[in-house]
Amino acid sequence: APQASFASFTVVDWASLLRQTSDLEFYRDKPVDVVGFITPDPVDPENIFYVSRFFVTCCVVDAQPAGVPVYLPGWSSTLSADQWVRVRGSFAATPSPASDQPLSVIPESVDPTEQPSEPYLF
């Protein structure tokens, strides 16, 4: 895909790619700009959260979660679980030795935002 097309990727798009490859070279120079709600990482909740969304393939009853790991040590001192945020940054090898995530977004910014009028992705 052309480099510019990655700028419009959603949480679901990135989560799908992360399931396919953790090759850092694939993600190099691809900007991440996603909106979702915060879900603490169960393994390393002090350093990592997921920016998450539910995606729907047929109807709301079949909604499935998708998330992208974000490395932000101490995030819970200024943000909270279930809060909606916009995360901008790029992928890198996860710096935390406690994490089981090979890659995570290293954010340039994490800004609180309102829940989108359509919180589900299709």
Side-chain angles (χ1 to χ4, degrees):
Q3 199 73 352
S5 68
F6 290 97
S8 65
F9 271 26
T10 66
V11 167
V12 174
D13 298 322
W14 286 117
S16 177
L17 280 175
L18 287 169
R19 283 191 302 274
Q20 295 175 41
T21 183
S22 61
D23 177 11
L24 185 55
E25 282 303 310
F26 175 82
Y27 298 95
R28 189 168 312 284
D29 300 324
K30 292 178 175 73
V32 177
D33 185 352
V34 292
V35 172
F37 58 89
I38 291 175
T39 306
D41 180 70
V43 175
D44 190 9
E46 293 82 27
N47 296 309
I48 297 177
F49 68 85
Y50 287 87
V51 59
S52 304
R53 294 288 287 267
F54 285 99
F55 69 96
V56 175
T57 55
C58 174
C59 50
V60 174
V61 74
D62 77 359
Q64 298 291 314
V68 176
V70 177
Y71 177 75
L72 186 62
W75 66 268
S76 62
S77 65
T78 57
L79 302 167
S80 60
D82 299 323
Q83 181 177 5
W84 283 84
V85 292
R86 181 176 185 183
V87 175
R88 295 180 194 142
S90 57
F91 284 100
T94 301
S96 174
S99 175
D100 61 0
Q101 297 298 322
L103 301 176
S104 58
V105 173
I106 306 302
E108 295 168 9
S109 64
V110 178
D111 300 309
T113 190
E114 295 294 317
Q115 176 179 309
S117 59
E118 181 53 69
Y120 298 100
L121 296 173
F122 297 88

